[in-house]
């Protein structure tokens, strides 16, 4: 199994997850041209995508989905609530947010999250005895999230903002209240608090995502997370809004496997 990101942040998100012939795209907040350009960087094309999964209807996740799906004739999957909010996407396949479903080589487990959208879900992907968690756009931590994400082999996790930077920054008060609210985003400390509730011994990759360009920095994220889970900060990765993140490969082979705590 392997995964990469075309970019993450308020100017657009898209994650790729692949096992064998199955290539899934989670969200697409980029134009078709930009998506193709970023896909090419990582050696894949739109024709290879098996399905697009949409986490929720905010533009940084949904903005590019309709055009990209139409361009390459890709099926789109979303929760019932998210599907209702999607205009211009034809024949959306709905999944039950409380039920895992098979998509090619993957068992996909939707995870309902507290965020200010109609029926937002994040995902856990299982294949070949490996488990990848993708978790962004959550205003608070729920027991449901903890149970879904524990024991992952790789985790892509939101570290949206540094609380002091946000509160002292230039955002209008209404936006500040939205971001820090229970249905907004996770700050660095909330993500650490979530990590501390998870079994992380098996983690081969920990990738920090949806990092605000105005209210956070890669340095702060790396400092905060590496000290919290006591790993070498060089083993952590932060997704860049413009450059994305190159493929991270997960393995079941104990001879080559390297975990964060090794
Ligand atoms: Zn977002
Ligand atoms: Zn959102």
């Amino acid at each position: 199994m392997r995964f990469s990101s075309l970019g993450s942040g308020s100017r657009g998100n898209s994650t790729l997850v692949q096992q064998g012939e199955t290539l899934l795209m989670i969200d697409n907040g980029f134009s078709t041209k930009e998506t193709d350009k970023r896909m090419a960087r990582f050696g894949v094309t739109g024709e290879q995508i098996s399905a697009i999964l949409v986490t929720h209807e905010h533009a940084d996740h949904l903005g590019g989905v309709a055009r990209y799906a139409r361009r390459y004739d890709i099926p789109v999957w979303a929760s019932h609530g998210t599907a209702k909010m999607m205009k211009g996407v034809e024949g959306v396949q709905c999944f039950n947010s409380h039920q895992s479903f098979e998509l090619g080589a993957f068992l996909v487990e939707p995870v309902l999250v507290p965020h200010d959208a109609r029926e937002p879900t994040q995902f856990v992907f299982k294949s070949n005895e490996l488990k990848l968690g993708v978790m962004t756009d959550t205003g608070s931590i729920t027991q449901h999230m903890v149970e879904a994400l524990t024991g992952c082999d790789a985790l892509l996790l939101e570290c949206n903002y540094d609380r002091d930077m946000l509160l002292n920054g230039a955002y209008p008060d209404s936006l500040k209240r939205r971001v820090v609210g229970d249905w907004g985003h996770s700050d660095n400390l909330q993500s650490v608090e979530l990590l501390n509730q998870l079994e992380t011994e098996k983690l081969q990759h920990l990738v920090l995502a949806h990092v605000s360009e105005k209210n956070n920095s890669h340095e702060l994220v790396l400092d905060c997370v590496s000290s919290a889970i006591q790993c070498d900060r060089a083993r952590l990765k932060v997704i860049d809004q413009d450059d994305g993140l190159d493929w991270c490969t997960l393995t079941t082979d104990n001879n080559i496997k390297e975990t964060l705590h090794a």
Side-chain angles (χ1 to χ4, degrees):
M1 194 197 295
R2 63 177 192 165
F3 68 101
S4 65
S5 168
L6 302 186
S8 180
S10 58
R11 289 190 286 116
N13 295 272
S14 188
T15 306
L16 300 174
V17 184
Q18 185 173 29
Q19 171 69 52
E21 297 283 287
T22 308
L23 176 61
L24 305 179
M25 173 179 271
I26 301 103
D27 295 331
N28 188 347
F30 302 105
S31 70
T32 295
K33 194 175 156 199
E34 187 64 28
T35 305
D36 280 338
K37 198 174 97 188
R38 291 177 185 227
M39 297 269 291
R41 254 185 233 161
F42 303 132
V44 285
T45 64
E47 283 93 355
Q48 289 173 262
I49 296 178
S50 318
I52 303 177
L53 295 159
V54 181
T55 59
H56 64 298
E57 66 270 24
H58 291 160
D60 55 325
H61 300 263
L62 178 62
V65 170
R67 270 179 298 244
Y68 206 69
R70 217 176 303 133
R71 169 77 178 80
Y72 293 103
D73 198 19
I74 308 166
V76 176
W77 289 78
S79 69
H80 290 274
T82 301
K84 275 210 172 69
M85 303 300 284
M86 288 162 60
K87 294 184 183 77
V89 189
E90 283 142 43
V92 180
Q93 319 248 12
C94 290
F95 54 76
N96 179 336
S97 302
H98 302 278
Q99 229 162 46
S100 299
F101 60 100
E102 275 177 37
L103 215 47
F106 289 98
L107 184 68
V108 180
E109 184 186 338
V111 185
L112 277 162
V113 291
H115 188 56
D116 52 2
R118 185 77 172 252
E119 190 185 349
T121 59
Q122 295 294 319
F123 298 104
V124 169
F125 299 92
K126 291 177 182 165
S127 187
N128 195 23
E129 292 174 39
L130 291 166
K131 175 177 173 180
L132 162 69
V134 174
M135 181 62 51
T136 68
D137 297 72
T138 59
S140 35
I141 302 166
T142 64
Q143 190 56 32
H144 181 53
M145 283 160 57
V146 173
E147 279 161 22
L149 294 175
T150 203
C152 277
D153 297 278
L155 188 55
L156 185 155
L157 183 65
E158 166 172 63
C159 280
N160 187 260
Y161 63 97
D162 171 79
R163 214 178 163 84
D164 289 337
M165 281 180 80
L166 177 82
L167 295 178
N168 297 314
Y171 273 15
D173 285 349
S174 58
L175 185 53
K176 285 179 185 176
R177 276 195 298 275
R178 189 215 145 214
V179 172
V180 300
D182 283 348
W183 290 270
H185 288 277
S186 290
D187 74 337
N188 300 343
L189 292 176
Q190 269 172 295
S191 299
V192 158
E193 196 186 318
L194 174 60
L195 279 168
N196 284 335
Q197 294 182 56
L198 305 177
E199 285 174 24
T200 56
E201 294 76 38
K202 293 207 294 192
L203 278 183
Q204 297 175 39
H205 302 281
L206 178 54
V207 170
L208 295 323
H210 219 308
V211 177
S212 170
E213 294 173 294
K214 294 197 175 74
N215 302 312
N216 209 350
S217 74
H218 289 201
E219 288 303 302
L220 279 173
V221 168
L222 290 170
D223 282 346
C224 197
V225 175
S226 63
S227 59
I229 69 160
Q230 293 172 342
C231 74
D232 181 356
R233 55 184 273 158
R235 294 297 316 274
L236 302 173
K237 298 183 185 82
V238 183
I239 306 179
D240 188 75
Q241 175 75 80
D242 294 317
D243 299 337
L245 174 79
D246 206 351
W247 292 106
C248 297
T249 303
L250 286 77
T251 180
T252 50
D253 185 344
N254 285 324
N255 295 319
I256 54 171
K257 191 191 286 182
E258 263 189 279
T259 59
L260 290 191
H261 299 294

